[in-house]
Amino acid sequence: MIGRLRHMLIKEFIQVFRDKRARFFLFGPPIIQMLIFGYAATLEIKHVPTAIVDYDNSQVSRDLISRFTASRYFDVRHRLADSRQIAAVIERGDAVLAIQINAGFARRVRKGQVAHVQVIVDSSNSNTALVGLGYVNEVTGAFAGDYQLETLQRTSPLAIARMPKIVLDRRPWYNTDMSSQWFFVPGVIGNLLLVIVMTLTAFAVVREREIGTLEQIMVTPIRRAEFILGKTIPFFLIGLFDALLISSVGTLWFKVPLRGSLAVLTLGTVLFLFCVLGIGLFISTVSLTQQQAMVTGFFFIMPSIIFSGFGSPISSMPTFLQYLTYINPMRYYQTVLRGIYLKGVGLEALWPHLAAMALIGGVMLTISILRFHKSLE
Amino acid sequence: MNGASSAVVVTDLVKRFGDFVAVDAISLEARKGEIFGFLGPNGAGKSTTIRMLCGLLRPTSGQAQVSGLDVATQPEQVRQNIGYMSQKFSLYNDLTVSENLNFFAGMYSVGRSDLTSRLDWAIDMAGLRGRENSFTGTLAAGWKQRLALGCAVLHRPQVLFLDEPTSGVDPLSRRKFWDMIHTMAAEGVTVFVTTHYMDEAEYCNRLVLIDRGKIVASGSPLELKQKYMAGDLLLVECDEIGTALELLQGAPGVDDAAIFGNALHLVVPKASAAIAAVTSYLSQHGITVQTIEPIRPSLEDVFVSLTTARTGAATEKPIP
């Protein structure tokens, strides 16, 4: 038993590490993707390309505009003389926001009348549009408040003392700077492990089926369990090593703090890998060719990531989809990753998530092993 | 049937895939040290039978014993006692010759004391001395096939199953391969082989002809020729071979006619009488006979006459 498994493992490792390209594939892309994801996967909206049309050309309007140019959220790229140019600029994608200040703006403000500022926004990306509008609102609101305050100070300084004021004291926990990099980097670990380990496992089995060696092995006295272990142990170890590699990039390069226990993180990773190996084996039982395995794999990867809370929060999904996320191991792993990295919580908070992964992993592996037996027929 | 001298005993073996009966109540017996040939057209059920005997497929019903072990209930013990080589070349192309051999030796738990000598034997047999570290993928088909045979017999199996082992291999390599098969059989290994090369079938001690899941004939090559070719065989070379075939199939005194290469083979009750009759029958219809002579039947004649006799409108179904 041990002898056969040992030979199976030797063979798998020789095959995996034999050529340079395969070796690179195991460890190169994870690091590169971590770097790409770390920089590019962000929810923050900064430097919104903005166009401004100022028909008023007054001291007040220039004041307001300077608030936009000074803000890091806006990148005022175009000062247009004519509002008819707005459409062209937005159509080309040179600007997402256009702010138009009409003639008479300063006069109306001074008279205490309602002064309109028109904002045109490219809503094809609804999120950017929404956030951008929010920023505009904030900037103009602050401008209006300051202007009122100044006016009051000149006219009736006493009234200022009696003005009610509500000030927000912001205390962001866990991620003080609210850096979305900190939010995404731990999550990327889960995504990369899923893609790499699932694909490798599924392909390793399907390739043997495709070239006929699976049949040749199955006429030897090898037990199914030995074969399955021989096929999963290498990718389990590679997965663990990749996890170490990617998380090192997160900690050393992106300086994402690892506040919780490394042991709990390792436990969570091991349980998650069980789930992924289960899915990989499952794919290998429903695919006859590597091409089929790839398409089936894709079918698993997309929903796993979308329904995990990696990007958009689960709480904003429709209720029935929220229930669906409970069978997604990635959902629990994401919670574990962010819980340990950013919140620094331990077993006391994360045990339900770990237990869920253990359960899903157990079920998944059992189904796959049973299916695997049948698929040999 | 007695187990002591029988390596393979099959009784009423059936395999169904849904509605399709791939193997229909086959019974057969192969003795120890025998080269047992399994013949039949594509889709006849040859591979399915072999795969059941190797424990790769579960029989729908019936029994099969290999080396006295039941394939349905003791598949693991069966596998330790058999070697298997399929038509599809199945070694690891990305492993070297010796890595492949070591892997299969490990799968069969070849003992440490025996290992070196078995590996040496396999390398010599395959003619790969000096190429132990070549990648298997770079070997020519003949070498690959001999290496596959080596891998399949490292553990000295008592029964060797070969499923169309020589397809896609050049004639010289086929020859060498069969020499090795004969050597192993002489050492007491039972060789169970499927083929559709008729010259290879002649090498077998015993043949079973299978068509659409059923055994249609069995016996030694000689027995088959005598038993199933009632009458004499004539070779006819003539013009308009297609027309001649049509004419002769309905002609009086001709039991059967078939095209072989660019000539016709006729089955007739008596050669001496038929030669004159056929020649004049054909010339009456304006066809000139160049050659007409009695010949000894080949297995191919037997094979064609047995399977064409049964071929109706049946379509071949591939084995899933």
Side-chain angles (χ1 to χ4, degrees):
Chain A
M1 158 89 195
I2 298 301
R4 279 195 296 263
L5 180 55
R6 190 172 61 90
H7 275 91
M8 191 72 206
L9 291 175
I10 291 172
K11 183 208 79 143
E12 288 299 322
F13 277 112
I14 290 178
Q15 287 186 310
V16 167
F17 290 104
R18 172 128 281 160
D19 68 41
K20 267 189 199 159
R21 258 199 317 215
R23 276 200 305 268
F24 175 76
F25 176 73
L26 293 179
F27 308 116
I31 295 181
I32 295 168
Q33 288 181 46
M34 180 61 161
L35 290 172
I36 293 171
F37 269 112
Y39 282 115
T42 166
L43 290 175
E44 274 171 60
I45 292 162
K46 286 186 213 166
H47 311 294
V48 179
T50 307
I52 287 177
V53 191
D54 185 3
Y55 284 127
D56 196 41
N57 250 321
S58 61
Q59 174 71 38
V60 185
S61 71
R62 279 194 293 273
D63 266 358
L64 175 59
I65 290 166
S66 72
R67 299 258 183 148
F68 284 103
T69 47
S71 160
R72 66 183 172 125
Y73 294 110
F74 297 94
D75 184 3
V76 179
R77 289 192 189 164
H78 304 276
R79 309 294 291 258
L80 306 174
D82 190 332
S83 63
R84 278 169 295 189
Q85 292 169 284
I86 291 175
V89 173
I90 290 186
E91 270 165 23
R92 282 201 305 271
D94 288 348
V96 170
L97 267 177
I99 297 164
Q100 183 180 335
I101 303 169
N102 285 332
F105 175 73
R107 184 168 41 85
R108 293 180 79 91
V109 168
R110 259 185 243 112
K111 282 188 181 168
Q113 291 171 330
V114 175
H116 288 275
V117 173
Q118 178 166 263
V119 186
I120 293 159
V121 61
D122 171 3
S123 297
S124 52
N125 183 335
S126 55
N127 192 44
T128 314
L130 209 62
V131 175
L133 279 178
Y135 293 153
V136 175
N137 203 19
E138 218 172 290
V139 170
T140 46
F143 176 79
D146 290 349
Y147 191 86
Q148 284 164 358
L149 215 61
E150 260 175 58
T151 320
L152 270 179
Q153 235 153 10
R154 280 200 309 271
T155 52
S156 49
L158 283 175
I160 294 176
R162 282 184 268 122
M163 287 264 289
K165 257 189 181 172
I166 296 173
V167 177
L168 208 60
D169 282 329
R170 305 203 305 174
R171 297 273 184 279
W173 277 15
Y174 311 126
N175 184 354
T176 325
D177 296 337
M178 293 197 277
S179 143
S180 67
Q181 204 169 58
W182 281 23
F183 173 71
F184 274 114
V185 164
V188 169
I189 298 175
N191 293 357
L192 288 178
L193 283 187
L194 173 76
V195 173
I196 295 166
V197 176
M198 189 191 78
T199 319
L200 284 175
T201 315
F203 272 47
V205 180
V206 174
R207 193 172 52 230
E208 296 230 13
R209 193 194 303 280
E210 224 174 15
I211 59 179
T213 45
L214 185 62
E215 189 172 280
Q216 196 66 46
I217 290 185
M218 284 306 144
V219 292
T220 74
I222 195 171
R223 296 197 181 92
R224 308 277 152 103
E226 292 167 330
F227 178 79
I228 290 171
L229 282 175
K231 279 289 169 196
T232 45
I233 289 175
F235 302 113
F236 174 74
L237 294 176
I238 288 168
L240 270 187
F241 185 79
D242 271 341
L244 181 71
L245 214 60
I246 316 169
S247 52
S248 302
V249 175
T251 309
L252 301 176
W253 184 263
F254 291 112
K255 311 277 184 213
V256 178
L258 178 56
R259 296 188 174 124
S261 133
L262 197 60
V264 181
L265 182 62
T266 311
L267 176 66
T269 304
V270 167
L271 292 174
F272 179 66
L273 284 176
F274 283 159
C275 302
V276 175
L277 289 171
I279 299 172
L281 273 182
F282 181 82
I283 292 172
S284 79
T285 64
V286 295
S287 316
L288 293 175
T289 63
Q290 297 188 58
Q291 206 174 7
Q292 284 175 11
M294 203 166 99
V295 176
T296 319
F298 202 68
F299 177 78
F300 274 90
I301 290 171
M302 289 303 285
S304 288
I305 294 175
I306 290 171
F307 296 121
S308 70
F310 167 75
S312 42
I314 292 172
S315 55
S316 35
M317 294 173 191
T319 321
F320 85 97
L321 283 181
Q322 289 191 31
Y323 285 118
L324 208 63
T325 64
Y326 287 111
I327 58 166
N328 180 8
M330 181 71 98
R331 173 206 162 107
Y332 304 102
Y333 191 48
Q334 291 288 342
T335 312
V336 169
L337 283 168
R338 282 166 183 157
I340 291 171
Y341 265 96
L342 301 178
K343 294 191 184 177
V345 293
L347 276 181
E348 73 290 341
L350 295 176
W351 71 264
H353 301 277
L354 296 170
M357 281 196 284
L359 183 72
I360 294 170
V363 171
M364 223 37 229
L365 278 172
T366 313
I367 293 175
S368 305
I369 290 168
L370 291 177
R371 273 201 60 93
F372 182 77
H373 281 237
K374 279 201 175 160
S375 73
L376 290 174
E377 285 263 316
Chain B
M1 295 192 183
N2 91 62
S5 63
S6 296
V8 179
V9 182
V10 171
T11 320
D12 292 330
L13 197 64
V14 175
K15 181 68 194 180
R16 276 197 203 94
F17 297 106
D19 289 339
F20 175 61
V21 185
V23 175
D24 192 358
I26 277 184
S27 298
L28 54 84
E29 191 178 346
R31 287 184 218 104
K32 268 180 192 151
E34 193 169 52
I35 300 180
F36 192 95
F38 212 44
L39 268 68
N42 290 332
K46 299 179 304 242
S47 295
T48 310
T49 306
I50 282 211
R51 289 158 63 84
M52 283 192 280
L53 294 178
C54 295
L56 283 172
L57 279 178
R58 202 175 282 277
T60 309
S61 67
Q63 276 206 322
Q65 286 193 338
V66 175
S67 291
L69 300 159
D70 191 295
V71 293
T73 57
Q74 302 165 288
E76 276 177 33
Q77 290 95 315
V78 168
R79 289 192 200 115
Q80 186 65 49
N81 287 294
I82 61 166
Y84 169 78
M85 206 185 129
S86 74
Q87 57 199 64
K88 205 171 162 189
F89 178 74
S90 22
L91 295 176
Y92 295 98
N93 282 333
D94 53 347
L95 294 187
T96 65
V97 169
S98 61
E99 280 165 352
N100 264 305
L101 284 166
N102 272 304
F103 173 70
F104 282 101
M107 289 301 106
Y108 284 111
S109 315
V110 174
R112 205 170 288 245
S113 55
D114 211 13
L115 185 61
T116 327
S117 69
R118 288 308 281 169
L119 294 181
D120 280 344
W121 170 84
I123 286 169
D124 286 333
M125 179 203 70
L128 288 168
R129 175 78 47 213
R131 300 195 63 179
E132 294 90 335
N133 293 321
S134 303
F135 284 107
T136 310
T138 64
L139 301 177
W143 271 284
K144 276 187 184 177
Q145 176 223 32
R146 288 198 290 276
L147 178 62
L149 178 65
C151 287
V153 298
L154 283 170
H155 58 300
R156 303 179 199 274
Q158 294 160 20
V159 183
L160 180 57
F161 291 99
L162 305 170
D163 190 2
E164 285 175 28
T166 54
S167 49
V169 173
D170 65 89
L172 193 67
S173 297
R174 265 172 65 191
R175 194 62 206 228
K176 278 190 192 165
F177 186 82
W178 274 95
D179 287 344
M180 296 182 326
I181 299 298
H182 280 290
T183 313
M184 277 188 257
E187 288 164 1
V189 176
T190 308
V191 181
F192 200 100
V193 58
T194 72
T195 181
H196 42 219
Y197 291 113
M198 290 304 142
D199 56 332
E200 291 188 353
E202 302 266 6
Y203 297 140
C204 298
N205 303 117
R206 212 133 60 86
L207 292 171
V208 159
L209 221 106
I210 176 174
D211 190 24
R212 272 167 280 155
K214 284 199 163 82
I215 291 178
V216 291
S218 67
S220 71
L222 191 64
E223 277 168 5
L224 280 180
K225 285 182 230 171
Q226 287 170 344
K227 192 165 153 194
Y228 292 98
M229 293 300 291
D232 293 342
L233 198 65
L234 287 181
L235 173 109
V236 180
E237 283 178 358
C238 59
D239 327 324
E240 297 177 54
I241 195 164
T243 322
L245 177 72
E246 272 175 43
L247 285 168
L248 289 170
Q249 272 170 341
V254 175
D255 293 341
D256 196 11
I259 294 184
F260 271 76
N262 54 2
L264 292 173
H265 285 193
L266 305 184
V267 182
V268 293
K270 194 93 189 106
S272 50
I275 289 179
V278 168
T279 314
S280 67
Y281 182 76
L282 285 177
S283 63
Q284 274 169 30
H285 291 86
I287 293 171
T288 320
V289 173
Q290 278 107 32
T291 320
I292 180 160
E293 58 188 20
I295 51 164
R296 290 168 51 131
S298 71
L299 268 177
E300 196 158 353
D301 294 303
V302 178
F303 182 82
V304 170
S305 79
L306 279 171
T307 48
T308 48
R310 289 168 45 87
T311 306
T315 46
E316 270 189 18
K317 280 204 182 178
I319 299 165

